[in-house]
């Protein structure tokens, strides 16, 4: 029996849709469990962080990327390789500071919100995709890059795009290890 050539892509789409629906159910359950949006946001970030510290091994094994030499290379790697590999989208990257340690990942399409029309009015401060911030922060920490990651804009809140801000917390020269 032969396989049809479109079978793998069909399975990938089904898996992605299942993931997106499951994620939506998770956020809905957290909203039932916690009264405050800040608590839901913190829980999503914590879950994402746990995923990120485990996901980095898979990413490094599957992507065979080389060591990044700058924060700019790291931001590009997150956008062009990691997001493409795990979410099937490639955000654009922009540098937001003269020091070169602040970047934005701008998503024209966020697959995690494929089945979400809008946030309920009583959940205005909910950061629905905060799991992504935790994943990025956790993965970066595992390669010894401390960073703050947060949503700067969100289409679910009426913004034109979805924008994730990444601020690397150390200067590049602080990362170098000295041998005695």
């Amino acid at each position: 029996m032969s396989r049809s050539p479109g079978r793998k892509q069909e399975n990938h789409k089904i898996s992605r849709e299942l993931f997106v629906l499951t994620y939506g159910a998770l956020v809905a359950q957290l909203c039932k469990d916690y009264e405050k949006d800040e608590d839901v946001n913190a829980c999503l970030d914590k879950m994402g962080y746990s995923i990120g510290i485990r996901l980095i091994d898979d990413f490094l094994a599957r992507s065979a990327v080389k060591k990044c030499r700058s924060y700019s290379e790291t931001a590009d790697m997150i956008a062009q390789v990691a997001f493409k590999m795990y979410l099937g989208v490639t955000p654009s990257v922009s540098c937001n500071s003269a020091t070169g340690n602040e970047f934005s990942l701008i998503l024209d399409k966020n697959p995690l919100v494929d089945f979400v029309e809008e946030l309920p009015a009583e959940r205005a401060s909910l950061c629905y995709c905060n799991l992504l911030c935790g994943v990025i922060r956790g993965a970066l920490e595992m390669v010894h890059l401390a960073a703050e990651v947060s949503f700067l804009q969100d289409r679910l809140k009426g913004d034109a795009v979805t924008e994730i801000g990444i601020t690397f917390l150390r200067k590049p020269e602080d990362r170098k290890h000295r041998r005695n």
Side-chain angles (χ1 to χ4, degrees), residues 12 16 20 75-93 105-114 132 162 164:
H12 178 70
R16 188 175 113 194
V20 170
D76 286 340
M77 191 64 59
I78 293 167
Q80 296 172 6
V81 182
F83 267 79
K84 183 70 173 173
M85 184 183 296
Y86 294 107
L87 294 175
V89 296
T90 306
S92 58
V93 179
L105 304 178
I106 301 168
L107 293 122
D108 293 324
K109 182 172 177 7
N110 182 353
L112 288 183
V113 298
D114 280 352
L132 293 175
T162 299
I164 300 172

Side-chain angles (χ1 to χ4, degrees), residues 1-173:
M1 196 186 278
S2 66
R3 289 186 175 177
S4 62
R7 185 86 174 158
K8 185 176 182 180
Q9 187 168 358
E10 182 180 311
N11 287 339
H12 178 70
K13 184 177 180 182
I14 291 169
S15 296
R16 188 175 113 194
E17 287 177 355
L18 179 61
F19 170 70
V20 170
L21 288 170
T22 304
Y23 182 73
L26 168 74
V27 174
Q29 185 60 50
L30 289 173
C31 287
K32 288 178 185 175
D33 293 347
Y34 297 100
E35 288 182 25
K36 296 180 182 176
D37 290 344
E38 294 76 21
D39 295 336
V40 175
N41 294 343
C43 188
L44 288 169
D45 183 74
K46 184 178 177 182
M47 293 169 95
Y49 179 82
S50 295
I51 292 168
I53 62 175
R54 288 167 181 79
L55 192 65
I56 191 68
D57 288 332
D58 179 68
F59 172 76
L60 293 172
R62 289 178 54 199
S63 66
V65 296
K66 304 278 188 240
K67 181 179 178 180
C68 296
R69 305 229 179 263
S70 67
Y71 291 142
S72 176
E73 278 184 42
T74 303
D76 286 340
M77 191 64 59
I78 293 167
Q80 296 172 6
V81 182
F83 267 79
K84 183 70 173 173
M85 184 183 296
Y86 294 107
L87 294 175
V89 296
T90 306
S92 58
V93 179
S94 67
C95 183
N96 297 339
S97 70
T99 58
N101 70 324
E102 295 179 25
F103 295 87
S104 285
L105 304 178
I106 301 168
L107 293 122
D108 293 324
K109 182 172 177 7
N110 182 353
L112 288 183
V113 298
D114 280 352
F115 303 111
V116 180
E117 292 180 21
E118 63 184 30
L119 294 176
E122 66 273 6
R123 293 289 186 176
S125 60
L126 176 67
C127 192
Y128 183 84
C129 296
N130 212 39
L131 183 100
L132 293 175
C133 294
V135 169
I136 294 168
R137 189 171 53 82
L140 287 171
E141 188 171 302
M142 292 309 292
V143 292
H144 307 287
L145 292 173
E148 288 179 1
V149 185
S150 61
F151 273 87
L152 303 177
Q153 295 186 70
D154 192 346
R155 279 196 173 175
L156 288 179
K157 295 182 180 182
D159 296 319
V161 295
T162 299
E163 180 179 3
I164 300 172
I166 302 173
T167 303
F168 293 97
L169 300 177
R170 291 187 211 119
K171 296 177 186 173
E173 58 271 6

